[in-house]
Amino acid sequence: MVQRGNGSVQRKDPACACFLPCSVVVMGRAKHEESGETVEPEATPERSYQELVENVNAIARPLASRKLTRKLYKCIKKAAKHKQLRRGVKDVQKFINKGEKGITVLAGDTLPIEVYCHIPIMCEDRNLPYAYIPSKTDLGIAAGSKRPTCVIMIKPHEEYQEAYDECLEEVEALPLPL
């Protein structure tokens, strides 16, 4: 911390990557007095598909390939833009019971598995396609949320029908667990 002649304090904080006078450091963000800008701490680096697959639980079958996972994320983003998603265990379960059609995408790293282990059985009983992807964080981000999401149902819509059909075909081709 350095005292200046004009009364301001110049400090070098771990949350701030500069030597500008920082007035406030709150929750890892430094607010600079002169410019009024905030400096964000560096984000965590993205983990590779292989690192994510290492963290999936025992029931995560059929697990989507890296290529299919990317296609599903793109389809989820398009569906979120048109409000054609069902998100969360309660919402997805309710609409599966009502007979709604769509692709069910489950996160493979959800613990405890008792939270959503009944969803694949419901999908199989109603002949709905489902697949697991490795990360609930990435699933939530694809759905346009800051929170992780463990289950999403993508409903068909004419605006993204081509991407939906491509995902549907690949998810149906995945082998079901025994």
Side-chain angles (χ1 to χ4, degrees):
M1 189 178 317
V2 178
Q3 185 74 29
R4 289 186 156 177
N6 63 2
S8 65
V9 177
Q10 183 179 1
R11 59 185 110 173
K12 178 68 177 158
D13 288 320
C16 180
C18 70
F19 280 104
L20 292 174
C22 301
S23 60
V24 182
V25 178
V26 180
M27 293 180 66
R29 293 184 182 165
K31 183 149 180 140
H32 300 291
E33 289 175 353
E34 294 170 359
S35 63
E37 66 182 66
T38 57
V39 177
E40 295 286 332
E42 288 186 26
T44 56
E46 281 191 30
R47 295 184 298 169
S48 71
Y49 182 81
Q50 290 299 340
E51 291 171 339
L52 294 172
V53 168
E54 291 172 5
N55 296 324
V56 299
N57 53 43
I59 67 165
R61 303 286 180 269
L63 186 64
S65 66
R66 176 182 297 156
K67 187 176 178 183
L68 178 56
T69 300
R70 286 188 187 135
K71 287 180 185 179
L72 286 169
Y73 286 150
K74 287 180 183 177
C75 192
I76 289 168
K77 286 178 185 177
K78 290 176 184 178
K81 189 161 63 167
H82 297 287
K83 308 272 193 248
Q84 297 296 314
L85 283 180
R86 301 290 182 207
R87 223 174 70 206
V89 176
K90 289 174 87 173
D91 203 24
V92 170
Q93 182 177 337
K94 177 172 69 173
F95 285 98
I96 288 174
N97 284 333
K98 285 186 177 181
E100 195 168 282
K101 298 293 181 193
I103 303 171
T104 306
V105 182
L106 301 109
D109 62 347
T110 303
L111 290 174
I113 60 175
E114 289 81 13
V115 170
Y116 72 143
C117 63
H118 59 285
I119 300 287
I121 297 164
M122 293 172 67
C123 290
E124 288 174 10
D125 289 345
R126 290 162 181 81
N127 293 324
L128 292 175
Y130 70 95
Y132 285 88
I133 58 169
S135 172
K136 64 182 174 185
T137 305
D138 293 343
L139 186 61
I141 290 170
S145 171
K146 293 179 182 175
R147 301 283 302 154
T149 304
C150 61
V151 184
I152 283 183
M153 178 185 272
I154 310 168
K155 299 188 322 186
H157 192 266
E158 61 269 357
E159 292 292 324
Y160 56 90
Q161 192 66 40
E162 190 174 305
Y164 178 84
D165 290 339
E166 190 176 333
C167 288
L168 179 66
E169 183 179 309
E170 289 190 38
V171 169
E172 286 178 339
L174 291 173
L176 290 176
L178 299 175

PDB file of all heavy atoms in Angstrom, residues 153-169:
ATOM      1  N   MET A 153     -34.931 -31.015 -21.389  1.00  0.00           N
ATOM      2  CA  MET A 153     -35.651 -31.626 -22.499  1.00  0.00           C
ATOM      3  C   MET A 153     -35.748 -30.594 -23.618  1.00  0.00           C
ATOM      4  O   MET A 153     -36.215 -29.475 -23.391  1.00  0.00           O
ATOM      5  CB  MET A 153     -37.060 -32.072 -22.092  1.00  0.00           C
ATOM      6  CG  MET A 153     -37.838 -32.661 -23.265  1.00  0.00           C
ATOM      7  SD  MET A 153     -39.529 -33.065 -22.850  1.00  0.00           S
ATOM      8  CE  MET A 153     -39.305 -34.716 -22.266  1.00  0.00           C
ATOM      9  N   ILE A 154     -35.281 -30.978 -24.801  1.00  0.00           N
ATOM     10  CA  ILE A 154     -35.344 -30.102 -25.967  1.00  0.00           C
ATOM     11  C   ILE A 154     -36.605 -30.460 -26.747  1.00  0.00           C
ATOM     12  O   ILE A 154     -36.765 -31.586 -27.207  1.00  0.00           O
ATOM     13  CB  ILE A 154     -34.115 -30.292 -26.889  1.00  0.00           C
ATOM     14  CG1 ILE A 154     -32.825 -30.224 -26.104  1.00  0.00           C
ATOM     15  CG2 ILE A 154     -34.135 -29.282 -28.018  1.00  0.00           C
ATOM     16  CD1 ILE A 154     -31.611 -30.674 -26.889  1.00  0.00           C
ATOM     17  N   LYS A 155     -37.491 -29.492 -26.892  1.00  0.00           N
ATOM     18  CA  LYS A 155     -38.718 -29.710 -27.655  1.00  0.00           C
ATOM     19  C   LYS A 155     -38.473 -29.345 -29.119  1.00  0.00           C
ATOM     20  O   LYS A 155     -37.724 -28.413 -29.405  1.00  0.00           O
ATOM     21  CB  LYS A 155     -39.856 -28.857 -27.098  1.00  0.00           C
ATOM     22  CG  LYS A 155     -40.181 -29.177 -25.663  1.00  0.00           C
ATOM     23  CD  LYS A 155     -41.414 -28.489 -25.131  1.00  0.00           C
ATOM     24  CE  LYS A 155     -41.629 -27.081 -25.596  1.00  0.00           C
ATOM     25  NZ  LYS A 155     -42.761 -26.426 -24.937  1.00  0.00           N
ATOM     26  N   PRO A 156     -39.115 -30.048 -30.059  1.00  0.00           N
ATOM     27  CA  PRO A 156     -38.937 -29.709 -31.475  1.00  0.00           C
ATOM     28  C   PRO A 156     -39.613 -28.379 -31.816  1.00  0.00           C
ATOM     29  O   PRO A 156     -40.620 -28.002 -31.206  1.00  0.00           O
ATOM     30  CB  PRO A 156     -39.605 -30.874 -32.207  1.00  0.00           C
ATOM     31  CG  PRO A 156     -40.515 -31.502 -31.220  1.00  0.00           C
ATOM     32  CD  PRO A 156     -39.959 -31.229 -29.863  1.00  0.00           C
ATOM     33  N   HIS A 157     -39.028 -27.666 -32.788  1.00  0.00           N
ATOM     34  CA  HIS A 157     -39.570 -26.372 -33.230  1.00  0.00           C
ATOM     35  C   HIS A 157     -39.113 -26.153 -34.662  1.00  0.00           C
ATOM     36  O   HIS A 157     -37.999 -26.531 -35.026  1.00  0.00           O
ATOM     37  CB  HIS A 157     -39.068 -25.255 -32.314  1.00  0.00           C
ATOM     38  CG  HIS A 157     -39.773 -23.968 -32.500  1.00  0.00           C
ATOM     39  ND1 HIS A 157     -39.302 -22.987 -33.338  1.00  0.00           N
ATOM     40  CD2 HIS A 157     -40.924 -23.490 -31.960  1.00  0.00           C
ATOM     41  CE1 HIS A 157     -40.122 -21.954 -33.299  1.00  0.00           C
ATOM     42  NE2 HIS A 157     -41.119 -22.237 -32.471  1.00  0.00           N
ATOM     43  N   GLU A 158     -39.934 -25.538 -35.484  1.00  0.00           N
ATOM     44  CA  GLU A 158     -39.612 -25.385 -36.905  1.00  0.00           C
ATOM     45  C   GLU A 158     -38.404 -24.477 -37.167  1.00  0.00           C
ATOM     46  O   GLU A 158     -37.752 -24.585 -38.192  1.00  0.00           O
ATOM     47  CB  GLU A 158     -40.818 -24.881 -37.711  1.00  0.00           C
ATOM     48  CG  GLU A 158     -41.363 -23.534 -37.302  1.00  0.00           C
ATOM     49  CD  GLU A 158     -42.456 -23.639 -36.252  1.00  0.00           C
ATOM     50  OE1 GLU A 158     -42.836 -24.753 -35.864  1.00  0.00           O
ATOM     51  OE2 GLU A 158     -42.920 -22.574 -35.821  1.00  0.00           O
ATOM     52  N   GLU A 159     -38.056 -23.597 -36.238  1.00  0.00           N
ATOM     53  CA  GLU A 159     -36.942 -22.671 -36.432  1.00  0.00           C
ATOM     54  C   GLU A 159     -35.581 -23.394 -36.433  1.00  0.00           C
ATOM     55  O   GLU A 159     -34.658 -22.950 -37.088  1.00  0.00           O
ATOM     56  CB  GLU A 159     -36.935 -21.586 -35.350  1.00  0.00           C
ATOM     57  CG  GLU A 159     -38.086 -20.615 -35.440  1.00  0.00           C
ATOM     58  CD  GLU A 159     -38.019 -19.723 -36.660  1.00  0.00           C
ATOM     59  OE1 GLU A 159     -36.904 -19.331 -37.055  1.00  0.00           O
ATOM     60  OE2 GLU A 159     -39.091 -19.452 -37.235  1.00  0.00           O
ATOM     61  N   TYR A 160     -35.462 -24.467 -35.689  1.00  0.00           N
ATOM     62  CA  TYR A 160     -34.196 -25.205 -35.615  1.00  0.00           C
ATOM     63  C   TYR A 160     -34.425 -26.691 -35.872  1.00  0.00           C
ATOM     64  O   TYR A 160     -33.694 -27.541 -35.365  1.00  0.00           O
ATOM     65  CB  TYR A 160     -33.514 -24.995 -34.243  1.00  0.00           C
ATOM     66  CG  TYR A 160     -34.368 -25.352 -33.058  1.00  0.00           C
ATOM     67  CD1 TYR A 160     -34.361 -26.640 -32.538  1.00  0.00           C
ATOM     68  CD2 TYR A 160     -35.178 -24.410 -32.456  1.00  0.00           C
ATOM     69  CE1 TYR A 160     -35.146 -26.976 -31.456  1.00  0.00           C
ATOM     70  CE2 TYR A 160     -35.965 -24.730 -31.374  1.00  0.00           C
ATOM     71  CZ  TYR A 160     -35.946 -26.011 -30.876  1.00  0.00           C
ATOM     72  OH  TYR A 160     -36.730 -26.327 -29.809  1.00  0.00           O
ATOM     73  N   GLN A 161     -35.406 -27.003 -36.708  1.00  0.00           N
ATOM     74  CA  GLN A 161     -35.807 -28.383 -36.953  1.00  0.00           C
ATOM     75  C   GLN A 161     -34.666 -29.231 -37.532  1.00  0.00           C
ATOM     76  O   GLN A 161     -34.509 -30.399 -37.169  1.00  0.00           O
ATOM     77  CB  GLN A 161     -37.016 -28.423 -37.901  1.00  0.00           C
ATOM     78  CG  GLN A 161     -37.675 -29.787 -37.997  1.00  0.00           C
ATOM     79  CD  GLN A 161     -38.328 -30.208 -36.698  1.00  0.00           C
ATOM     80  OE1 GLN A 161     -38.942 -29.404 -36.010  1.00  0.00           O
ATOM     81  NE2 GLN A 161     -38.192 -31.477 -36.353  1.00  0.00           N
ATOM     82  N   GLU A 162     -33.847 -28.631 -38.393  1.00  0.00           N
ATOM     83  CA  GLU A 162     -32.757 -29.376 -39.011  1.00  0.00           C
ATOM     84  C   GLU A 162     -31.732 -29.834 -37.967  1.00  0.00           C
ATOM     85  O   GLU A 162     -31.333 -31.000 -37.941  1.00  0.00           O
ATOM     86  CB  GLU A 162     -32.072 -28.487 -40.059  1.00  0.00           C
ATOM     87  CG  GLU A 162     -31.094 -29.216 -40.939  1.00  0.00           C
ATOM     88  CD  GLU A 162     -30.564 -28.314 -42.039  1.00  0.00           C
ATOM     89  OE1 GLU A 162     -31.380 -27.743 -42.794  1.00  0.00           O
ATOM     90  OE2 GLU A 162     -29.326 -28.194 -42.114  1.00  0.00           O
ATOM     91  N   ALA A 163     -31.334 -28.932 -37.078  1.00  0.00           N
ATOM     92  CA  ALA A 163     -30.386 -29.285 -36.017  1.00  0.00           C
ATOM     93  C   ALA A 163     -31.012 -30.289 -35.053  1.00  0.00           C
ATOM     94  O   ALA A 163     -30.337 -31.227 -34.593  1.00  0.00           O
ATOM     95  CB  ALA A 163     -29.948 -28.031 -35.263  1.00  0.00           C
ATOM     96  N   TYR A 164     -32.303 -30.114 -34.752  1.00  0.00           N
ATOM     97  CA  TYR A 164     -33.008 -31.024 -33.859  1.00  0.00           C
ATOM     98  C   TYR A 164     -33.055 -32.436 -34.450  1.00  0.00           C
ATOM     99  O   TYR A 164     -32.772 -33.419 -33.754  1.00  0.00           O
ATOM    100  CB  TYR A 164     -34.422 -30.512 -33.590  1.00  0.00           C
ATOM    101  CG  TYR A 164     -35.238 -31.431 -32.717  1.00  0.00           C
ATOM    102  CD1 TYR A 164     -35.145 -31.376 -31.328  1.00  0.00           C
ATOM    103  CD2 TYR A 164     -36.093 -32.384 -33.279  1.00  0.00           C
ATOM    104  CE1 TYR A 164     -35.879 -32.233 -30.521  1.00  0.00           C
ATOM    105  CE2 TYR A 164     -36.830 -33.240 -32.484  1.00  0.00           C
ATOM    106  CZ  TYR A 164     -36.718 -33.156 -31.111  1.00  0.00           C
ATOM    107  OH  TYR A 164     -37.443 -34.013 -30.329  1.00  0.00           O
ATOM    108  N   ASP A 165     -33.406 -32.545 -35.738  1.00  0.00           N
ATOM    109  CA  ASP A 165     -33.500 -33.858 -36.385  1.00  0.00           C
ATOM    110  C   ASP A 165     -32.144 -34.569 -36.427  1.00  0.00           C
ATOM    111  O   ASP A 165     -32.066 -35.789 -36.246  1.00  0.00           O
ATOM    112  CB  ASP A 165     -34.056 -33.711 -37.802  1.00  0.00           C
ATOM    113  CG  ASP A 165     -35.530 -33.324 -37.804  1.00  0.00           C
ATOM    114  OD1 ASP A 165     -36.212 -33.560 -36.783  1.00  0.00           O
ATOM    115  OD2 ASP A 165     -35.999 -32.789 -38.834  1.00  0.00           O
ATOM    116  N   GLU A 166     -31.075 -33.793 -36.656  1.00  0.00           N
ATOM    117  CA  GLU A 166     -29.736 -34.365 -36.689  1.00  0.00           C
ATOM    118  C   GLU A 166     -29.361 -34.920 -35.310  1.00  0.00           C
ATOM    119  O   GLU A 166     -28.852 -36.043 -35.197  1.00  0.00           O
ATOM    120  CB  GLU A 166     -28.742 -33.282 -37.116  1.00  0.00           C
ATOM    121  CG  GLU A 166     -27.368 -33.779 -37.411  1.00  0.00           C
ATOM    122  CD  GLU A 166     -26.465 -32.678 -37.932  1.00  0.00           C
ATOM    123  OE1 GLU A 166     -26.958 -31.708 -38.526  1.00  0.00           O
ATOM    124  OE2 GLU A 166     -25.236 -32.814 -37.710  1.00  0.00           O
ATOM    125  N   CYS A 167     -29.653 -34.149 -34.262  1.00  0.00           N
ATOM    126  CA  CYS A 167     -29.378 -34.618 -32.892  1.00  0.00           C
ATOM    127  C   CYS A 167     -30.245 -35.825 -32.547  1.00  0.00           C
ATOM    128  O   CYS A 167     -29.760 -36.789 -31.942  1.00  0.00           O
ATOM    129  CB  CYS A 167     -29.625 -33.492 -31.889  1.00  0.00           C
ATOM    130  SG  CYS A 167     -28.400 -32.192 -31.937  1.00  0.00           S
ATOM    131  N   LEU A 168     -31.513 -35.777 -32.929  1.00  0.00           N
ATOM    132  CA  LEU A 168     -32.445 -36.866 -32.645  1.00  0.00           C
ATOM    133  C   LEU A 168     -31.955 -38.171 -33.279  1.00  0.00           C
ATOM    134  O   LEU A 168     -31.954 -39.226 -32.633  1.00  0.00           O
ATOM    135  CB  LEU A 168     -33.842 -36.509 -33.156  1.00  0.00           C
ATOM    136  CG  LEU A 168     -34.935 -37.542 -32.965  1.00  0.00           C
ATOM    137  CD1 LEU A 168     -35.227 -37.734 -31.482  1.00  0.00           C
ATOM    138  CD2 LEU A 168     -36.197 -37.124 -33.697  1.00  0.00           C
ATOM    139  N   GLU A 169     -31.517 -38.082 -34.516  1.00  0.00           N
ATOM    140  CA  GLU A 169     -31.045 -39.274 -35.233  1.00  0.00           C
ATOM    141  C   GLU A 169     -29.820 -39.880 -34.538  1.00  0.00           C
ATOM    142  O   GLU A 169     -29.742 -41.100 -34.350  1.00  0.00           O
ATOM    143  CB  GLU A 169     -30.680 -38.868 -36.666  1.00  0.00           C
ATOM    144  CG  GLU A 169     -30.245 -40.006 -37.555  1.00  0.00           C
ATOM    145  CD  GLU A 169     -29.934 -39.498 -38.954  1.00  0.00           C
ATOM    146  OE1 GLU A 169     -30.769 -38.792 -39.543  1.00  0.00           O
ATOM    147  OE2 GLU A 169     -28.834 -39.843 -39.434  1.00  0.00           O
TER     148      GLU A 169
END
